[in-house]
C-alpha cells in the first residue's frame, strides 16, 4: 500500500549514516544548485533533541545529502536527487522553539583550493591542463567537458586557485562548479543546445512565476581591443553588429583568442535579456545546467537554461523547487573576426533636428515622427554619442542604451519611410 506522496532527506555526517536519527528532528532542508559562479550549498534545520544530548556539529565537518521522493506523481514514482558533499561552514541556534541550523558549502574552505593566494605565470598550457594541476594540488578530481583552449601566457596574481580558475573559465565562456568533490568545467553553449528535460506549463507553477525581458545592459555585438604580445601592436577584434556594441579592453594572445573572449563577454551580458523564474512542486530532472521548455504561457514560451534550482523539503514530507533560468535562443556562437575594422561612416542625411521635451522616450519619438516605434534603436544608433554624453553630464553612469534621455537634448532623426504608392497612382498622376 502506498503512503502517499512524500519527500525525505538522507544524511551522511562525518562518514556515518544518520538519516534515521535525524528524521525525527528535521524541520526543513534546502539545497541550492547553481550552474556556475557560486558554490552549491545546503541548509539543514533541526529541532531541539537532535543536538542537545551530547552531539553538536563543528565547522569543517563533512556532510552529504540526498533527497528521496516516494510515490511522487503517482504510486511507484520514486526517484532521488543527489545534492553532493559539503563542508559545514555555518552553525546557528535560534529560539523559541530552539532550532539548530547547519549550513554547508560544496567548495572546501580549508584547502589550498579556496584559501591560499598564489602568484604564478602559466605559459603554453591549455585551460584543461590548468584545471588538472589545480585539482591535483587540492586533492580533488577534475571533470572537463569542453574543447581545447590554448593559453600562451596568463598571470595568476595573488589569487586563490578557486577564484583564478573560475575567472579563466568565465573569460572563455565556460561554466565551473564544484560537485561531489570534483571541479566540473563545461561548455555552456553545448549544454544550452541539449534536449529539454521537462516541458512545463503555467499550471505547473500555480501562478507563482515571473518573466522578464530587458534591453538595458544587453548588446548586439562586442569590440575587444588588445595589444599583440609579440609585436606590441594594438588591434581590435569585432564580433556582431548593430547599435549596441559592448566595448572591451582585455589581454589576448591572438585575434582568435580575442574573438573567444569577446563572444564570452557578449553572451554573459545577454543572459539577462530574457529570464524566467518560478516555484513549483519538486520535479525529477530539474537541476542546474539542464534545459526546460515552457509552453502555454504565450510570450514566455520557448527553451530555457536552468541557472539555479533551489530544492526545499519540510519535515512533513512536502517539497518544492524554485528555478531561475535564461532563454537559450539569443546566444552568439560563431562571431566572425573583423580585425582592425574600418570605422563605419554614419549615413549622410537628410536628417532633421528634434529637441527632446519632458515625457519623451526614444520609443514615443520613433512612433510619432517616424511612424514606427521599433525604429527607436535606429535613433539611438545615430545619436549614441550625444545621448551618452548628456546622460553622464546628468550624473548617470550611462544612458541604459537610450533609456535615459533629457529635455533640451537635440537629436537627429532619419527620414520617415515613405508609404508604398497605391496601384495606379502613376497613371492617375499623368491624367
Amino acid at each position: 500500500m502506498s503512503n502517499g506522496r512524500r519527500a525525505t532527506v538522507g544524511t551522511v555526517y562525518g562518514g556515518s549514516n544518520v538519516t534515521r536519527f535525524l528524521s525525527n528532528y528535521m524541520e526543513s532542508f534546502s539545497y541550492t544548485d547553481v550552474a556556475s559562479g557560486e558554490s552549491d550549498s545546503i541548509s539543514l534545520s533541526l529541532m531541539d533533541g537532535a543536538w542537545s544530548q551530547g552531539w553538536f556539529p563543528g565547522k569543517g565537518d563533512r556532510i552529504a545529502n540526498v533527497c528521496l521522493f516516494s510515490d511522487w506523481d503517482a504510486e511507484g514514482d520514486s526517484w532521488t536527487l543527489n545534492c553532493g558533499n559539503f563542508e559545514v561552514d555555518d552553525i546557528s541556534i535560534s529560539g523559541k522553539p530552539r532550532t539548530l541550523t547547519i549550513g554547508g558549502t560544496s567548495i572546501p574552505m580549508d584547502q589550498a583550493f579556496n584559501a591560499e593566494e598564489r602568484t604564478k605565470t602559466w605559459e603554453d598550457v591549455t585551460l584543461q591542463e590548468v584545471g588538472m594541476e589545480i585539482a591535483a594540488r587540492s586533492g580533488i578530481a577534475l571533470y572537463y567537458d569542453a574543447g581545447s583552449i590554448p593559453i600562451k601566457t596568463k598571470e595568476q596574481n595573488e589569487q586563490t586557485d578557486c577564484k583564478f580558475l573560475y575567472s579563466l573559465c568565465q573569460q572563455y565562456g565556460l561554466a565551473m562548479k564544484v560537485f561531489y568533490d570534483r571541479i566540473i568545467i563545461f561548455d555552456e553553449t553545448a549544454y544550452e543546445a541539449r534536449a529539454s528535460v521537462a516541458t512545463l506549463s503555467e499550471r505547473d507553477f500555480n501562478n507563482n512565476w515571473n518573466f522578464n525581458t530587458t534591453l538595458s545592459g544587453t548588446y548586439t555585438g562586442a569590440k575587444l581591443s588588445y595589444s599583440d604580445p609579440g609585436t606590441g601592436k594594438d588591434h581590435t577584434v569585432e564580433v556582431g553588429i548593430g547599435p549596441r556594441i559592448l566595448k572591451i579592453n582585455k589581454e589576448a594572445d591572438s585575434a582568435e583568442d580575442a574573438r573567444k573572449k569577446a563572444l564570452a563577454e557578449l553572451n554573459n551580458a545577454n543572459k539577462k535579456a530574457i529570464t524566467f523564474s518560478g516555484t513549483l512542486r519538486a520535479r525529477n530532472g530539474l537541476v542546474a545546467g539542464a534545459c526546460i521548455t515552457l509552453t502555454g504561457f504565450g510570450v514566455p514560451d520557448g527553451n530555457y537554461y536552468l541557472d539555479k534550482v533551489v530544492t526545499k523539503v519540510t519535515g512533513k514530507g512536502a517539497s518544492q523547487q524554485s528555478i531561475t533560468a535564461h532563454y537559450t535562443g539569443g546566444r552568439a556562437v560563431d562571431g566572425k573576426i573583423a580585425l582592425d575594422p574600418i570605422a563605419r561612416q554614419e549615413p549622410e542625411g537628410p536628417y532633421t533636428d528634434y529637441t527632446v521635451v519632458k515625457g519623451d522616450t526614444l520609443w514615443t519619438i520613433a512612433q510619432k515622427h517616424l511612424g514606427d516605434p521599433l525604429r527607436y534603436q535606429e535613433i539611438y544608433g545615430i545619436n549614441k554619442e550625444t545621448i551618452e554624453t548628456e546622460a553622464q553630464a546628468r550624473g548617470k553612469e550611462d544612458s541604459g542604451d537610450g533609456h535615459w534621455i533629457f529635455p533640451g537634448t537635440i537629436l537627429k532623426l532619419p527620414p520617415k519611410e515613405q508609404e508604398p504608392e497605391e496601384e495606379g497612382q502613376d497613371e492617375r498622376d499623368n491624367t
Side-chain angles (χ1 to χ4, degrees):
M1 294 290 291
S2 170
N3 293 319
R5 178 187 301 124
R6 182 168 181 80
T8 57
V9 178
T11 303
V12 173
Y13 197 99
S16 300
N17 190 332
V18 294
T19 301
R20 182 173 296 182
F21 171 70
L22 292 186
S23 64
N24 297 319
Y25 301 99
M26 195 189 84
E27 187 172 83
S28 64
F29 173 81
S30 177
Y31 164 50
T32 300
D33 176 20
V34 183
S36 182
E38 301 175 28
S39 62
D40 288 354
S41 61
I42 56 100
S43 178
L44 176 63
S45 294
L46 303 171
M47 295 180 288
D48 198 1
W51 48 276
S52 61
Q53 300 178 21
W55 171 80
F56 195 82
K59 288 183 288 184
D61 289 352
R62 301 291 287 168
I63 182 172
N65 297 99
V66 58
C67 297
L68 310 166
F69 298 88
S70 302
D71 297 330
W72 196 245
D73 284 330
E75 186 173 348
D77 176 35
S78 299
W79 47 279
T80 62
L81 173 63
N82 290 318
C83 306
N85 296 329
F86 300 87
E87 185 174 289
V88 174
D89 70 335
D90 189 83
I91 304 166
S92 62
I93 302 174
S94 61
K96 195 174 184 182
R98 300 214 307 169
T99 303
L100 170 74
T101 300
I102 302 170
T105 178
S106 64
I107 295 181
M109 303 299 291
D110 62 349
Q111 296 183 17
F113 181 60
N114 199 41
E116 183 180 346
E117 293 183 344
R118 297 179 182 276
T119 296
K120 176 176 179 174
T121 301
W122 299 81
E123 294 182 317
D124 295 321
V125 293
T126 65
L127 196 152
Q128 182 176 7
E129 289 171 340
V130 174
M132 290 173 64
E133 182 174 325
I134 287 176
R137 181 163 52 236
S138 305
I140 52 183
L142 173 71
Y143 175 80
Y144 187 88
D145 188 15
S148 179
I149 297 177
I151 297 170
K152 186 174 182 179
T153 180
K154 182 66 179 177
E155 292 290 336
Q156 180 178 353
N157 187 17
E158 295 185 355
Q159 291 175 289
T160 64
D161 283 348
C162 177
K163 288 184 178 180
F164 172 72
L165 185 57
Y166 171 67
S167 68
L168 197 59
C169 290
Q170 189 178 43
Q171 284 181 25
Y172 290 100
L174 303 185
M176 174 187 142
K177 67 181 296 180
V178 177
F179 183 73
Y180 265 115
D181 295 325
R182 292 188 299 173
I183 301 172
I184 298 175
I185 297 175
F186 60 95
D187 185 352
E188 273 194 329
T189 303
Y191 278 50
E192 286 183 3
R194 287 185 167 185
S196 172
V197 298
T199 298
L200 304 174
S201 66
E202 189 170 7
R203 187 168 63 179
D204 291 311
F205 292 91
N206 196 26
N207 295 321
N208 189 5
W209 58 275
N210 180 71
F211 168 81
N212 179 256
T213 179
T214 183
L215 188 66
S216 179
T218 64
Y219 302 89
T220 56
K223 185 184 292 184
L224 189 149
S225 301
Y226 73 100
S227 180
D228 188 292
T231 65
K233 184 178 179 181
D234 292 335
H235 292 294
T236 298
V237 164
E238 188 174 277
V239 295
I241 58 174
R244 303 189 314 280
I245 300 298
L246 174 62
K247 295 181 179 180
I248 310 162
N249 287 297
K250 185 166 286 188
E251 293 179 352
D253 294 335
S254 64
E256 175 59 20
D257 190 55
R259 183 190 73 86
K260 291 177 181 177
K261 290 179 176 178
L263 276 175
E265 290 223 19
L266 176 63
N267 287 323
N268 187 56
N270 286 345
K271 285 181 183 179
K272 59 179 171 286
I274 302 176
T275 58
F276 181 90
S277 61
T279 300
L280 71 166
R281 191 174 72 212
R283 184 157 180 151
N284 192 11
L286 296 190
V287 295
C291 293
I292 59 171
T293 300
L294 300 181
T295 185
F297 290 83
V299 172
D301 286 358
N303 292 329
Y304 291 76
Y305 175 88
L306 294 173
D307 295 299
K308 180 185 291 188
V309 180
V310 179
T311 303
K312 296 182 178 180
V313 178
T314 70
K316 295 182 179 180
S319 179
Q320 67 179 24
Q321 290 176 314
S322 298
I323 65 170
T324 304
H326 68 263
Y327 181 64
T328 62
R331 177 177 285 269
V333 294
D334 292 322
K336 295 181 179 178
I337 296 175
L339 186 60
D340 299 331
I342 298 173
R344 295 187 180 90
Q345 298 296 320
E346 294 290 353
E348 297 181 1
Y351 290 142
T352 57
D353 288 344
Y354 174 77
T355 302
V356 176
V357 299
K358 186 176 181 180
D360 273 345
T361 66
L362 295 186
W363 179 281
T364 59
I365 293 172
Q367 183 176 39
K368 182 177 180 180
H369 296 279
L370 305 183
D372 181 358
L374 295 179
R375 293 184 69 187
Y376 75 94
Q377 292 183 338
E378 186 179 348
I379 298 176
Y380 175 71
I382 294 169
N383 297 276
K384 182 176 180 178
E385 185 174 348
T386 299
I387 292 172
E388 296 300 332
T389 300
E390 185 65 23
Q392 292 172 15
R394 302 290 185 119
K396 301 289 184 182
E397 184 176 346
D398 54 50
S399 75
D401 294 323
H403 175 75
W404 297 105
I405 57 174
F406 300 90
T409 303
I410 299 176
L411 303 178
K412 292 189 177 298
L413 302 186
K416 184 176 181 181
E417 293 180 358
Q418 295 185 356
E419 296 181 3
E421 295 181 343
E422 295 180 14
E423 260 186 71
Q425 182 67 49
D426 291 340
E427 287 79 359
R428 289 194 298 271
D429 289 344
N430 292 326
T431 58

